[in-house]
Amino acid sequence: MSKKKYVWLVCMFLIMIALLVAGCSGNNKETTPNNENEKDLNLPGNNGSNNEEITADEPVYGGTLRVIVASGPTAIGHPTEGGVARIAAGFPGVESLLGLMDDNQGLEPLLAESWLEDPDNMTITFKLREGVKFHDGSELTAEVVKWNFEFFKSKSRLRYVDYLDEIEVKDKYTVVFHLNNWVNLILGEWSVMGLYSQKAIEENGEDWAYTHLVGTGPFKLEKFTRDVGANWIKNEDYWQEGQPYLDRVEYYYIPEQSTASMMMEAGEADIWTAADALNTSRLAEKGFVVQKSWAGQETVIIPNTLDPNSPFQDKRLREAVEYALDKQALAAALGYGLFEPIDTIVSRGMPGGDKQFRSYDPEKARQLLQEAGYTDGLPISIIAQVGSGGRNEIAEAVAGYLNEVGFKVELDIADAGRFLEEVWNGNWKDLAVAVTATTNLASMHIWWGPQGIFVGGLRRPDEFVDMFRASLQLRTKAEQDQAMAEMVHFIAEEALVIPVYHEPVRLIHNGKVHTDYLRQGQGRWKFNEVWIEK
Amino acid sequence: MLSYIVRRLLWGLVIIWLVTLIVFFVIRLLPGDPLLIYLAQNQDINSMPREQIDALYREYGLDKPILVQYANWVFNLLRGDLGLSITYRQNVGKLMLERLPVTLHVGMTGFIVSLVPGVLVGLIAAMRRASWIDNVVTIISYTGIAIPVFWLAYILIYVFGLRLKWLPIAGYVSPFEDFWLSTKHLIMPVICISLPGIAATARQMRSSVLEIASQDYVRTAWSKGLAEKAVVCRHILKNSLIPIITLLGMRIGFIFGGSVIVENIFAIPGMGRLLVGSIFAQDYVVIQANALIMAVIIILSNLLVDISYGWFDPRIRYD
Amino acid sequence: MPEAKVIVAKEADVEPRINEWKRFCRVFLARKIIWLALFVIALLLFTAVFGPWLAPYKPNEQNLADSMAPPSRKHLLGTDRLGIDTFSRLIYGARTALIVGVATSFTSAIVGTLLGMVAGFMGGVVNTVIMRFMDALMGFPMIVLALLLAGVLGSGMLNIIIALTVANVPGYTRLMCGMTLSVKENDYIMAQRSIGSSSFRILAKHIFPNTLQPMVVMLTTSLGGIILAEASLSFLGIGIVPPDVAWGSMVADGYKYLQTNPILSFAPGICIMLVVFSFNIIGDGLRDALDPRLRGTL
């Protein structure tokens, strides 16, 4: 259980990164706040999301929203500490310069009312909204933004820090980032980092910020208790007129699935963001509302292609693995109708996800194994992270299929620590079952790029690395999506990664909550717009 | 007597020193790299320059030989500094001060709750040996020991939390904040912690009473024609409590042992939950402190039990 | 049942009086519930030994099309999420339970006995070093020590056995040390020493048989605790991993299906309870029957 929690944490962190940087489309033109018409387009990314709230009736004021999440942060109001769960835990109270737009469509103004990204002069300029106040009454100014970024930098928590020359405070509400190099991932990374009150942290110290939070968001932190929960109360001075609607938000950190699901059934909470597939389908049958997102996680099998002694240097064997898997049956048995089989490393709606390379064909798999010279079977090992009850059903099921076609699988169910280390350092033997999240160029970079997560075990041919380098200079979203699709196809063609299925992120609520949280992936939650029926 | 206590205390210190050895060296064998996990969680693995990572290793003293690390740890312990948590990035002493009272609150309540029913039930079962009461009590107490705690917890939550809605399902509220709510939150975890305790105490009490009841002085008391109440209270109960004290000493350990599972299910922010989380995050600074504090408390309470023997049983002499 | 016979045979060596055996039986079998316990353990032994012939399927034979099937003639207790037959897993789990329980308790009994007897017999510095170290180990709750060790060693059957063994050794050591100390002072041991018997001879021939009774009781009772501890470790996520099947892991794994398919957790859960229950009953029965002070009164 706690192991589950931890495993979940590690996955979530990786997925969080992927989603947080999901807004890195390089619009190099000044964007205006109203892109309403774009918002309603049913774009490829928006596969099967369930957003009935958008058209629902008028919001009502008041009420308390009770949210169950799987785990809380170790610190809540500190700009850089707190671990995986920090960002999600701060959603009610913390905001960033720009916000993720719905449905993976890039960025929109939030604390900055406009921005200008100028690749030719290598600057990014943000024009701040005037009159935005932190919960302690101090004002959000360019100085405060600069202080926040200097703080991230001093703690080594700023990605692409090498690209930053200086932060210029042009006037009270204008801040300019001067770069020495431009890649299209920077804006998406930096503009969504949470901003905290300089005054509060300087006056009370960093230690204080472990349990106190001062942001600009629609809710003020009333009380945070580690491993228990957080209580938030309405920010009466919120900068968006007439918002928020709710009086209170309460977060409960409940690691046990069974406990959380019974809390939902008993009416002790309104929303649960961490239900597994089983509980999702079970509660849906009982009348709870399930909202699915376009975003999610992809379960894939990664052969170690860097290890020169690995039999999986041979492409035929990698292909044999894919031919051996009945992904449809796998997804159906494990996913309760939630999981979808995938043909590439991304889900079917994403750029590059709509092309099938190999379908279930055990006979072909056997034949490939024979051709590769393994006539009496090939002993291999599969490493996977331990799940509940010491099992990993995905790896077990995969092993079952591979044994059918002539592999002799030895399962290696590893603890989170060892799994992470082996994956990170690339010293896993043969195959690893991993959970990834690729939705756009930024997450491509994190998972599969030359510096990506599987850096030690996944072979990246020079050709592929060149494609990657080039993609980082592309400026429009259309170009970026095109480049992403090409890279996705490259990996699939070479069978460097064997895709299995996609699991959408989702939330469950009791039917009274109105939120479109999951349209922004999991990178943002517009608490100011959330309301609850009486 | 005094010299005995002093001697025992000194040995206690030696044992605690041995505990520090065990804790430190076992935990340093944990596979994986705690800093790697921490960095991974905070998504800096790619953004942090090598020097910065080296600086972190230095900050935690991980670049030094293991014996030096041990010496530093013990030296800091003596100064009352439990170290800086890797995942929490906060002083572990502070963390422990948050957690220990919670675990003690739940655990001690469970401990007390297990005591009285256990003794009473055991006594009745022994006095009415081979009757239906004895049989029922025996079966229930054996079942109580045999049932996996997490299973019991689930059934309780299902019945009292979900179906009957009498009790809140999970969470913890400090008794100083809202005593009534705090108690309501406490009921199910306490049952889970105390049921095996009740059963074990009852079982021990039963055989202990049976043993005492066969002693000559008890037979004499019966043959003198004393009332049952007098025999039971004055002779049997008092003397059969002595082995129970040993058992109680052991049960202090069970409080912490039980907390490991119960706190996770009921989402109680105590030491057990912290320990499990830290083992998975391999935050050995926290694991060390957590295990050490548990061990010190258990060793001290066992010491107390040994010393209190003499008070209950005048036949024992300290020399 | 075979267990009881072993004990009796050894005891008969020490005290060959025939009415001891009768007395033992009378006390041991007096409570009706002991028959149930003996039956359960006999069944466990039988299943563990003949498991592969009894089980209708292999414990990892999956069939995704048959996922989460309810009990039927084909699958007596239904199937789990991967379509693996629950009844077969249960049968193979009996074997694991017995292996983990027996391996752990016997290894810890052997190690504990050796350490305890050496400590008790040698006395002095040896005693101090061994016993204080055991005191330190006993400072940790068993599950915490096992959790720490399992965290270090990782999941898997062998590692779980090692972790639980280390956690169980101190109890045996303390028991044996105490027994050795008390036996050592007896006149006949003194006499052996004075005629120049070697230490080893005295330990093996005279002290060891005397310490057997309490050890057998402890062994039986701790078997239950070990099976429970394995279940707890599995629940926390450091337990026995595939391809091995264990009841503890099954309960923990089935835990999440309690509301949809309760049999997945209840079936192994009831097995654990019955076995732990039986070992405890037998252990207590043995204690009552072997303890000369109690035997007369019962």
Side-chain angles (χ1 to χ4, degrees), chain C:
Chain C
M1 201 57 188
E3 300 229 326
K5 272 184 188 149
V6 171
I7 297 144
V8 171
K10 293 230 171 86
E11 209 203 358
D13 288 345
V14 186
E15 288 178 72
R17 280 159 51 204
I18 187 68
N19 62 342
E20 280 298 320
W21 165 227
K22 274 191 178 161
R23 266 187 160 177
F24 169 84
C25 286
R26 188 173 57 77
V27 179
F28 183 64
L29 301 174
R31 293 161 82 191
K32 289 191 188 66
I33 197 149
I34 208 99
W35 290 101
L36 173 71
L38 287 173
F39 174 73
V40 169
I41 301 306
L43 195 65
L44 174 76
L45 278 171
F46 180 78
T47 320
V49 173
F50 299 104
W53 291 277
L54 292 174
Y57 299 89
K58 291 244 152 47
N60 298 305
E61 189 178 321
Q62 64 193 37
N63 178 5
L64 290 184
D66 239 354
S67 169
M68 286 292 192
S72 63
R73 194 169 298 167
K74 197 171 155 211
H75 298 288
L76 219 50
L77 293 173
T79 61
D80 70 1
R81 200 166 166 194
L82 295 178
I84 305 176
D85 185 54
T86 306
F87 184 62
S88 303
R89 280 173 73 81
L90 221 50
I91 286 173
Y92 279 89
R95 180 172 267 209
T96 314
L98 207 67
I99 292 173
V100 172
V102 169
T104 306
S105 50
F106 275 81
T107 324
S108 36
I110 291 166
V111 176
T113 304
L114 287 177
L115 286 173
M117 280 176 40
V118 167
F121 192 75
M122 310 273 280
V125 183
V126 178
N127 180 329
T128 308
V129 170
I130 294 179
M131 290 321 290
R132 290 303 83 84
F133 193 71
M134 291 301 143
D135 285 346
L137 280 178
M138 281 188 113
F140 302 96
M142 177 169 140
I143 188 80
V144 170
L145 191 56
L147 193 64
L148 284 179
L149 290 164
V152 171
L153 299 165
S155 306
M157 183 154 31
L158 183 65
N159 291 341
I160 296 305
I161 291 176
I162 296 172
L164 289 174
T165 300
V166 176
N168 270 293
V169 161
Y172 287 100
T173 312
R174 197 179 261 190
L175 176 78
M176 282 301 139
C177 179
M179 288 301 297
T180 311
L181 278 174
S182 66
V183 175
K184 195 170 82 170
E185 301 306 319
N186 282 336
D187 291 343
Y188 66 94
I189 303 286
M190 301 283 197
Q192 285 290 329
R193 276 194 150 168
S194 64
I195 62 169
S197 285
S198 74
S199 301
F200 179 76
R201 197 183 148 79
I202 297 177
L203 272 174
K205 272 212 93 163
H206 299 283
I207 296 186
F208 181 67
N210 276 295
T211 56
L212 215 57
Q213 289 183 5
M215 199 179 73
V216 166
V217 173
M218 193 163 179
L219 208 66
T220 324
T221 322
S222 73
L223 267 164
I226 288 162
I227 293 173
L228 267 186
E230 183 267 312
S232 300
L233 287 180
S234 287
F235 181 74
L236 292 171
I238 306 186
I240 285 166
V241 292
D244 293 320
V245 185
W247 290 343
S249 330
M250 286 175 75
V251 174
D253 182 39
Y255 188 77
K256 59 183 182 228
Y257 309 113
L258 265 169
Q259 285 202 53
T260 41
N261 196 352
I263 210 165
L264 284 181
S265 181
F266 270 79
I270 287 167
C271 287
I272 291 180
M273 276 177 62
L274 274 177
V275 168
V276 176
F277 185 91
S278 305
F279 275 124
N280 281 328
I281 298 255
I282 293 177
D284 279 10
L286 284 175
R287 183 174 60 197
D288 289 355
L290 290 172
D291 190 330
R293 282 171 305 177
L294 279 177
R295 217 169 345 177
T297 69
L298 293 166

Side-chain angles (χ1 to χ4, degrees), chain A residues 5 13 18 27 35 57 64 67 84 102 111 133 160 174 184 294 312 319 333 336 342 349 388 411 423 447 505:
Chain A
K5 167 184 156 193
F13 128 71
N27 284 350
N35 283 0
D57 28 9
T64 301
V67 186
V84 196
D102 291 346
L111 292 178
K133 293 254 186 341
Y160 314 113
T174 310
N184 54 24
W294 49 268
F312 287 98
E319 291 187 288
Y336 298 93
I342 47 175
S388 69
L411 277 180
V423 161
W447 290 96
V505 293

Side-chain angles (χ1 to χ4, degrees), chain A residues 28 94 96 127 140 175 185 197 199 225 231 248 265 282 286 313 315 327 383 426 466 487:
Chain A
N28 62 339
V94 184
S96 48
K127 182 92 182 66
L140 175 78
V175 60
L185 304 180
S197 162
K199 177 169 166 254
T225 319
N231 296 342
R248 281 175 75 79
E265 282 186 69
R282 200 173 60 76
K286 296 202 168 185
Q313 291 289 354
K315 184 181 168 188
K327 296 175 191 170
I383 187 169
D466 290 342
M487 288 187 284

